[in-house]
């Protein structure tokens, strides 16, 4: 028999080839997706396949082990270097077809494999990185044929990899001659977007990484991913060093306004932080920073501006004009002073509007509401809350000025989420006695183990999720009325309710060194924040003409830590089935990672953000009205049917002085509106 | 009449337009090429046209002054700022068509005007610069419509200039907001290659420059050109500061080989020199270096490598592999550390082979042998001679190792071309007495005025063109035999011929402080150089299968200063009609200037160099044979019929010792061959 039939699964592609044809060659001829960096030289081991033994009636094939050539020298060599192949696995480049066979290409050998994400409900990423590696053997120079090293490299890439018409970075030209000679005319090149040579190494090289970075006002977070496999090899975060120029965004913008060149100072500061983070990430897993060839960035509009060297002052006041609402594409890492490979390219996801940043673009890319039939509400709470509402038909976005109360700031006993901070609270409606949990200790405060494990620091304050819970529990226990006023009459019943000047406070914890109370001012700060958030959501719902949403996704650290039930009791989000309100984790960062691994995703988010309808809360008169109505607990917009299925809300208990309060509060609410 | 006919000359385009249509608008509608930077706002004055008055039977038009609107306010305003328009001239943007008219578009108003070059035989450059300016009025930001500043700029460029889908440099994004606000929503942008925004200025701006640079081993030379007009506004040269690392190319390569990082040192050195030259050029004419948005470079392969940061060591030995033989395109000026606008782009003409550089590509672009039916020989003499032979059918190139003798080095009394250097020589064949001229003095040495004007420094040596003349004159006067040997027998007849060890020398000049002689060694050095040059030419002629050339162009300083008759008597170039042997001036630099002003020329030279056949003299055995035969004066290849029409050559006078010399010289010649 001079020809044999081969069938590749799962694609089902089939064809007849002369006996002796390497499997990889047959696969290529049939357009079957099998990865290879070394181009069939038995070096990279990416082209592994499985023989399916047996009689396959469907295909008309009797597939047998002896229909493939015996274990080759290349395979033995590979196994000596890299450990044994799994049973039945072959390197398709070094295995020849001797008779009919059915060959399975496992996902790990596919170029466009799917990278499985942890959350099952979202589409997996189809790996399609911008940077790919190619190992190539180049003809040595010949005095008689004076073609340059670059030309011979390109000829080799064309004949060995069918890569035609490549452009080349100057640094590749600068490094090419040494690499070729060190590698004895064998080099690995990195090709960007199928069209540009951006790096060259002597010999065989298969390490190529990318970084996905979420530039937060407080925290810089990054994932280091292997671009060939899509795997996250390391993740890390560190403080944004800009914090010393101001805790929140507006104080950093003020710093710039008051200090000529201050934008440059803040840009240098955040870039220094990014470089420190990069070095740490790479060192953690023993990766050379020079092997990082791609980086993607998300951030709110001001962080995005500063990272890319754009003065953000225009974002500090109306009309909040962005310099650019396009993706930043193909920027050289050197232009940003990053410590990764100097030819690495940087991609910045697009900002959407003056208050809706590339972080929101990242959330959209990660959560894909634009593919959803369900109406999705995405909320990313920071100093501002960025809100996206919509589905595959229409998408709206806005930003709401929640202020920092949700992060524990402007709260009398507030603090960052750190050991010692109260994060969970329950209040007995009978006794009004609380019990709570603090970060870093598994026991509740009324359990015996608590005193032992709470640590030397003891209880230090309340973090963002704790303040939500304690206020919601105070409301459920009847300590607060619906307007958020502490009922002073309860002071007679419980020592926990105490006078505090002209108002009252609730004593959550008291020990020898510290008293943690919730004051009327604290409650007012949270009310302002949650009213701003809810008013933004309400505004989008109104613009879309809907009264309810199908799913709510809470992004960011806040979303990850709060109990959604309490968020809903306080009226941060609209009424919804509680089990359809979930945390999206660091969705902005996930968006950066998706953009890192998939070119298609980049084009997708660039298109999607263009059709996002931007709603400006600052100029929308209805926002003020929604805001006032949302000061109540939960708020005055609907009867919360879904929440009431799970929780008994004390909506109808009259307040201490129901007649007087509301009017006064309404006035105050308007004038207290941030910005 | 509600419509009028307008005919534009010289294009002949015609059309009917409603009365009141501005001429510029009619021209645009008809596709007539009229320049405008300000977009018809009467600011730039580039759209000037002339009314042709009279009856034009051919066009069927009666063209009268009152068929155009009266002088407009914009025109008066422009004249107040910029001086009166020429009689009959109008700004076509501010002049309306009231009746039939014939309108002439003068060359200065055409975008694609021709830039007239001084030499008439070569095609003029059609101006088509890579960078163009556009003045644009941008909508202010609107809180209700949150489009970024960049998006509104692009929308304005699309509607006002039909520029769609532009990309943008990050620095434009960084500078855009300030420029828009400073310019009160009016800015001028620079667009690179019709597709990328590379600069933005507040308000109206019409100054945009480019630099064309010839990076020589000895001299850096640059032209500063206005990109909108093509005009050379300044030219300057300065020493290549690399000279302190070695006079000639090979000693610089040796420096690199012996000093790790030496390539970086030499790159920094030449770039520092380029920056000093740039600052000087710009200051000369009061141009801001930031207004220089484009630069083009030519240079021999080693200079080209060093300017672009490529280690040239591979060019120091066989097989002389170039890193790249492609054009270097679109490199950011910042990547080279140039002091021009940070977003300026750099273009490097392609090198052709390890010994045939981008300077030769410049010569080819300037001399256009690839368009010629005549067979052209182009010779650019430096330390190496780069030689191009061919016509529109075929082009060959090689480099010949002439060594530095033609530059006055390795000559006992040799010196650079500078005041005091002998550059012209005549010898009386009867008396053997010389007369000469020195640089910086108009009188011949036998004229009364000479002593007065030769200057305090007196006669200091012989420069490259002087050594050619004196040796040729010695030959014509019978002092030298055909083998280049000084006839010692003449010492009896003239005190000018003196013994010099075992050989003889000719005393060209003697005064109180200095004796300028031509030694046998000097003659040998020039013979080696000219034999190498001629052997290279001969090799190309042989490969092309031709025995004569139609035209010879001598490029570079050497070509500009030598008398072609003497070059031919010494046999530097093949026999040719003397009046068809001409200087091409700094043809390499002209090539850089052409590439600066014309995108089409860039594509042209990139294509042409690919079909140049490279001939490697070092490995071609025939080169050695030609070399030996070319040691004779003129050489032993042909009977010089054309030269003999003009000059009586003493070809048949026997030498002092004809039998012995040739064999000895042949051995010596081979072993003395440089490299």
């Amino acid at each position: 028999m001079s020809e044999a039939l081969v069938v590749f699964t799962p694609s089902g592609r089939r064809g007849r080839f002369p006996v002796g044809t390497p499997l990889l060659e047959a696969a290529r001829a049939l357009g079957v997706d099998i990865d290879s960096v070394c181009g069939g030289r038995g070096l990279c081991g990416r082209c592994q396949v499985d023989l399916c033994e047996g009689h396959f009636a469907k295909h008309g094939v009797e597939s047998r082990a002896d229909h493939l050539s015996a274990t080759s020298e290349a395979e033995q060599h590979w196994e000596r270097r890299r450990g044994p192949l799994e049973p039945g696995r072959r390197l398709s480049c070094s295995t020849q077809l001797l008779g009919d066979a059915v060959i399975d290409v496992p996902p790990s050998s596919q170029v466009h494999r799917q990278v499985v994400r942890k959350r099952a409900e979202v589409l997996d990423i189809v790996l399609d990185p911008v940077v790919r590696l190619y190992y190539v053997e180049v003809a040595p120079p010949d005095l008689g044929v004076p073609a340059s090293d670059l030309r011979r490299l390109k000829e080799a890439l064309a004949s060995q990899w069918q890569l035609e018409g490549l452009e080349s970075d100057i640094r590749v030209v600068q490094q090419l001659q040494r690499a070729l000679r060190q590698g004895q005319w064998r080099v690995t090149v990195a090709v960007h977007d199928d069209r540009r040579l951006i790096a060259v190494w002597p010999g065989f090289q298969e390490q190529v990484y990318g970084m996905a970075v979420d530039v937060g006002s407080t925290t810089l977070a990054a994932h280091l991913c292997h671009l060939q496999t899509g795997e996250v090899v390391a993740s890390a975060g560190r403080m944004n060093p800009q914090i010393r120029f101001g805790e929140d965004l507006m104080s950093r913008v003020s710093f710039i306004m008051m200090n000529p060149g201050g934008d440059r100072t803040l840009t240098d500061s955040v870039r220094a932080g990014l470089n420190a983070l990069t070095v740490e990430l790479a060192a953690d897993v023993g990766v050379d920073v020079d092997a990082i060839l791609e980086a993607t960035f998300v951030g709110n509009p001001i962080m995005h501006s500063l990272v890319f060297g754009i003065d953000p002052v225009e974002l500090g006041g109306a009309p909040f004009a962005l310099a650019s609402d396009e993706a930043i594409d193909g920027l050289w890492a050197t232009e940003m002073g990053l410590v990764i490979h100097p030819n690495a390219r940087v991609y910045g996801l697009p900002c959407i509007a003056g208050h809706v940043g590339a972080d929101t673009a990242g959330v959209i890319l990660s959560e894909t509401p634009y593919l959803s039939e369900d109406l999705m509400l995405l909320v990313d709470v920071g100093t501002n809350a960025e809100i996206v509402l919509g589905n595959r038909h229409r998408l709206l976005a806005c930003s709401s000025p929640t202020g920092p109360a949700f992060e524990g700031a402007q709260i009398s006993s507030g603090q960052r989420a750190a050991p010692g901070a109260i994060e969970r609270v329950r209040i007995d409606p009978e006794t009004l006695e609380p019990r709570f949990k603090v970060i870093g200790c598994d026991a509740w405060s009324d359990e015996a183990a608590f005193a032992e494990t709470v640590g030397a620091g003891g209880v230090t304050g309340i973090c963002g999720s704790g303040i939500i819970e304690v206020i919601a529990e105070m409301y459920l226990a009847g300590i607060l009325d619906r307007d958020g006023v502490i009922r002073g009459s309860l002071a007679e019943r419980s020592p926990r309710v105490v006078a505090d000047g002209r108002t009252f406070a609730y004593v959550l914890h008291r020990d020898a060194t510290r008293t943690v109370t919730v004051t009327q001012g604290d409650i007012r700060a949270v009310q302002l924040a949650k009213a701003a958030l809810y008013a933004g959501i309400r505004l989008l719902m109104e613009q879309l003409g809907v009264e309810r949403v199908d799913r709510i996704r809470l992004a960011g650290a806040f979303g990850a830590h709060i109990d959604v039930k309490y968020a809903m009791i306080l009226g941060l989000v609209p009424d919804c089935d509680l089990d359809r309100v979930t945390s999206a984790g660091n969705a902005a960062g996930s968006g950066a990672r998706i953009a890192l691994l998939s070119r298609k995703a980049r084009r997708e988010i660039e298109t999607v953000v263009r059709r996002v309808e931007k709603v400006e809360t600052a100029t929308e008169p209805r926002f003020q009205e929604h805001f006032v109505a949302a000061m109540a607990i939960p708020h005055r917009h609907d009867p919360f049917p879904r929440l009431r299925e799970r929780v008994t809300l004390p909506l109808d208990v009259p307040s201490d002085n129901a007649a007087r309060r509301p009017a006064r509060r309404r006035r105050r609410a308007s004038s207290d509106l941030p910005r």
Side-chain angles (χ1 to χ4, degrees), chain A residues 405-478:
Chain A
F406 290 147
E407 293 174 324
Q410 296 180 1
I411 301 296
S412 60
S413 296
Q415 66 158 94
R416 282 186 199 291
I422 294 172
E423 57 166 351
R424 296 269 168 268
V425 180
R426 299 291 179 272
I427 298 177
D428 185 317
E430 297 305 317
T431 63
L432 307 187
E433 282 301 302
R435 56 196 196 99
F436 53 81
K437 282 180 73 173
V438 302
I439 296 176
C441 169
D442 284 336
W444 284 85
S445 58
D446 59 348
E447 292 172 354
F450 183 79
E452 297 160 27
T453 56
V454 69
V459 177
T460 53
I462 318 177
C463 70
S465 59
I467 194 76
I468 299 293
E469 292 207 2
V470 69
I471 294 174
E473 282 282 325
M474 285 167 73
Y475 171 65
L476 292 177

Side-chain angles (χ1 to χ4, degrees), chain A residues 539 542-543 615-625:
Chain A
L539 192 64
E542 199 172 69
Q543 298 247 344
V615 176
E616 180 51 64
T617 54
T619 51
E620 181 53 66
R622 296 283 295 157
F623 179 78
Q624 305 290 338
E625 291 173 40

